[in-house]
């Protein structure tokens, strides 16, 4: 494929000197969310060699904006709304495109996760719920709230300088602070562009500004950005208590993968018992979902028995005692293998159609397949290869999302037939 043409130096100067239309000049809200963003951009006039290289890198990836736009249908409107509500630069709404290509299931090699790529320790420090059932770093609303809170705090701490705040978000405020002190001691400028920072952080801010330039002037770069509706993609629906995701999808009359895409923070076969009892659903599905939830009996719900393991017990006998399955006991108690200890307590769900939920199957028939982990594999890579979600693999194999895969490790997958 021929390389996408870019403006020469003179054209760049003319291009970046233009003023973007103010949102007040158009009374009617645009139908395309990109236009709404474009009308508020201000950083696209910043230009230097680092930004130019970052922009060229984007332009060499012809499918990047198509992939991002498809994901943006679900997530970007909400992020834009939150950024505007706080009065932050609209460029901040593009940060998840740089961080994760708008993929809430993305996990870095350093275990940063979600749209905003929040590290486990950072999430814990900022108050995000992270447990076996639920990871707030992957949840759209929780992660966006925490990320924006953190960015605002960094902005205030670093002299109301967004470039420094973003650098601190990427590499840590301690590192940016030390770099500024070193420059000040040497009599050098302490702005972002003058600091000695890690390679990743030196490229981080230029990538965001380069992306804002492409969004601001797509025609100039011969780029077509698929439109994204400038309207909400989801509604919030109360579940009335813990509920299996497969049952929730059925009540809303949507595919399970669609439900999981809107609720990536839910890690297991049922909603977490420890966070708000609600789910995000596609617009237009709330009425039938609420009718369905209202019709659920106690037997339809996930109910729990707490059983204290006795000497001589094993999973097979306990499963028979409670008319359930060993696989479910392993799943909900995060047990690997068959080892249990007397005195420990097992959580035992009953009264629900767990089997269809446990495998996280969609309405499409799936076939069980064994997969041996290879060197360099990640959950994200395996999920992409077999067209399943990361959370599906975690659920099917009772994995701890924080653990690394090991070469030779065997996974059970349920893949679409045909």
């Amino acid at each position: 494929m021929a390389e996408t043409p870019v403006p020469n130096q003179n054209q760049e100067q003319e291009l970046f000197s233009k003023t973007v239309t103010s949102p007040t000049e158009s009374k009617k809200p645009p139908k395309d969310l990109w236009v709404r963003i474009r009308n508020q951009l201000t950083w696209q006039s910043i230009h230097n060699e680092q930004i130019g290289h970052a922009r060229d890198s984007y332009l060499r990836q012809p499918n990047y904006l198509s992939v991002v736009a498809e994901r943006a249908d679900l997530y970007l409107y909400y992020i834009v709304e939150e950024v505007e509500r706080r009065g932050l630069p609209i460029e901040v709404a593009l940060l998840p495109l740089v961080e994760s290509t708008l993929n809430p299931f993305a996990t870095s090699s350093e275990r940063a996760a979600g749209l905003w790529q929040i590290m486990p320790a950072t999430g814990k420090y900022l108050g995000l719920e992270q447990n076996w059932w639920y990871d707030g770093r992957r949840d759209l609303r929780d992660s966006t709230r925490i990320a924006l809170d953190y960015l605002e705090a960094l902005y205030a701490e670093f002299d109301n300088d967004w470039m420094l705040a973003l650098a601190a978000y990427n590499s840590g405020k301690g590192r940016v602070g030390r770099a500024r002190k070193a420059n000040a001691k040497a009599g050098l400028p302490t702005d972002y562009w003058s600091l000695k920072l890690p390679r990743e952080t030196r490229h981080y801010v230029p990538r965001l500004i380069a992306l804002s330039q492409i969004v601001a002037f797509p025609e100039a770069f011969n780029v077509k950005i698929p439109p994204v509706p400038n309207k909400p993609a989801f509604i919030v629906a109360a579940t009335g208590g813990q509920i299996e995701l497969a049952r929730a999808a059925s009540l809303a009359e949507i595919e399970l993968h669609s439900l999981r895409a809107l609720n990536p923070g839910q890690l297991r076969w049922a909603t977490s018992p420890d966070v708000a009892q609600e789910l995000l659903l596609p617009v237009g599905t709330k009425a039938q979902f609420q009718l369905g939830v209202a019709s659920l009996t106690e037997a339809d719900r996930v109910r729990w028995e707490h059983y204290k393991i006795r000497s001589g017990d094993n999973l097979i006998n306990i499963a028979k005692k409670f008319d359930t399955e060993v696989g479910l006991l392993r799943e909900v108690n995060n047990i690997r293998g068959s080892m249990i200890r007397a005195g420990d307590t097992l959580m035992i769900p009953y009264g629900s159609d767990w089997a269809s939920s446990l495998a996280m199957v969609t309405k499409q028939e799936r076939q069980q397949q064994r997969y041996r982990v290879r060197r360099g594999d990640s959950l994200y890579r395996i999920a992409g290869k077999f067209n399943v979600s990361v959370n599906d693999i975690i659920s099917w194999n009772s994995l701890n999302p924080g653990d690394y895969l090991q070469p030779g490790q065997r996974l059970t997958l349920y893949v679409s037939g045909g």
Side-chain angles (χ1 to χ4, degrees), residues 33-342:
L33 185 60
W34 297 115
V35 176
R36 176 177 174 179
I37 294 171
R38 187 173 301 133
N39 287 343
Q40 301 178 68
L41 291 169
T42 58
W43 296 359
Q44 74 278 4
S45 59
I46 304 172
H47 183 64
N48 57 35
E49 186 176 3
Q50 297 104 301
I51 296 171
H53 286 317
R55 192 180 64 241
D56 292 343
S57 178
Y58 280 122
L59 296 174
R60 286 194 294 269
Q61 303 175 63
N63 296 325
Y64 172 81
L65 288 171
S66 296
V67 171
V68 165
E70 183 175 352
R71 296 170 181 163
D73 280 346
L74 292 181
Y75 312 119
L76 191 54
Y77 177 88
Y78 177 82
I79 295 170
V80 168
E81 287 272 300
E82 289 301 297
V83 167
E84 289 182 352
R85 185 177 63 81
R86 294 171 182 245
L88 306 181
I90 199 64
E91 284 82 358
V92 173
L94 299 178
L95 194 59
L97 280 69
V98 175
E99 286 282 0
S100 63
T101 60
L102 270 179
N103 179 9
F105 297 102
T107 302
S108 76
S109 59
E110 297 182 352
R111 297 173 60 197
L115 293 167
W116 298 90
Q117 288 293 279
I118 300 171
M119 294 289 290
T122 304
K124 184 177 181 180
Y125 170 75
L126 296 173
L128 270 180
E129 184 80 21
Q130 299 173 75
N131 56 44
W132 187 77
W133 287 98
Y134 177 81
D135 189 344
R137 298 176 302 153
R138 301 183 185 280
D139 180 86
L140 170 60
R141 294 179 299 163
D142 281 354
S143 68
T144 298
R145 171 177 52 83
I146 288 296
L148 297 183
D149 284 350
Y150 190 40
L151 284 165
E152 285 185 303
L154 292 171
Y155 175 68
E157 184 169 342
F158 287 98
D159 306 326
N160 293 344
D161 185 317
W162 276 111
M163 305 299 115
L164 292 173
L166 289 164
Y169 183 88
N170 178 256
S171 65
K173 60 182 181 180
R175 181 168 287 173
V176 175
R178 290 190 295 272
R180 293 190 80 199
K181 287 181 180 179
N183 272 28
K185 186 176 181 179
L188 299 173
T190 59
D191 62 288
Y192 165 79
W193 305 103
S194 304
L195 299 183
K196 186 176 182 180
L197 294 168
R199 183 176 183 275
E200 166 63 25
T201 309
R202 293 199 309 271
H203 292 290
Y204 185 71
V205 174
R207 281 202 291 265
L208 179 59
I209 297 174
L211 185 59
S212 75
Q213 291 176 351
I214 294 171
V215 172
F217 309 109
E219 296 86 358
F221 298 111
N222 195 26
V223 168
K224 290 185 178 180
I225 308 178
V228 172
N230 184 24
K231 58 184 181 180
F234 62 82
I235 49 87
V236 181
T239 63
Q242 192 178 19
I243 190 172
E244 296 161 328
L245 296 186
R247 186 181 296 277
S250 177
L251 294 179
E253 298 180 4
I254 61 174
E255 295 287 350
L256 183 57
H257 68 82
S258 298
L259 182 69
R260 296 197 62 82
L262 284 172
N263 299 275
Q266 300 288 349
L267 302 181
R268 302 296 168 179
W269 56 280
T271 57
S272 169
D274 304 318
V275 298
Q277 297 300 315
E278 57 189 27
L279 288 169
L280 305 187
L281 300 174
V283 171
T285 63
K286 187 173 184 176
Q288 63 261 34
F289 180 77
Q290 289 183 325
L291 284 173
V293 165
S295 70
L296 293 179
T297 67
E298 185 180 355
D300 296 324
R301 291 285 186 181
V302 180
R303 294 178 291 155
W304 298 95
E305 179 90 15
H306 291 83
Y307 177 75
K308 190 172 183 178
I309 301 171
R310 300 168 183 170
S311 179
D313 274 342
N314 59 54
L315 288 178
I316 294 175
N317 290 339
I318 295 172
K320 288 180 179 178
K321 177 181 178 70
F322 290 95
D323 192 25
T324 186
E325 298 288 338
V326 170
L328 181 59
L329 294 180
R330 288 197 183 108
E331 166 72 8
V332 300
N333 291 282
N334 198 20
I335 296 172
R336 296 184 181 182
S338 301
M339 289 293 295
I340 56 176
R341 292 185 299 184

Side-chain angles (χ1 to χ4, degrees), residues 346-399:
L346 291 180
M347 294 173 61
I348 302 174
Y350 63 100
S352 57
D353 182 18
W354 65 269
S356 61
S357 304
L358 183 60
M360 287 301 184
V361 295
T362 65
K363 291 179 182 177
Q364 296 175 328
E365 184 176 353
R366 289 180 177 268
Q367 299 172 350
Q368 181 175 315
Q369 181 169 330
R370 298 287 287 173
Y371 180 78
R372 187 172 183 177
V373 176
R374 300 177 175 87
R375 187 175 300 278
D377 269 345
S378 65
L379 288 173
Y380 181 71
R381 181 174 296 178
I382 296 170
K385 181 176 181 179
F386 291 97
N387 195 29
V388 298
S389 79
V390 169
N391 282 358
D392 282 346
I393 300 176
I394 290 171
S395 179
W396 292 330
N397 295 276
S398 299
L399 301 177

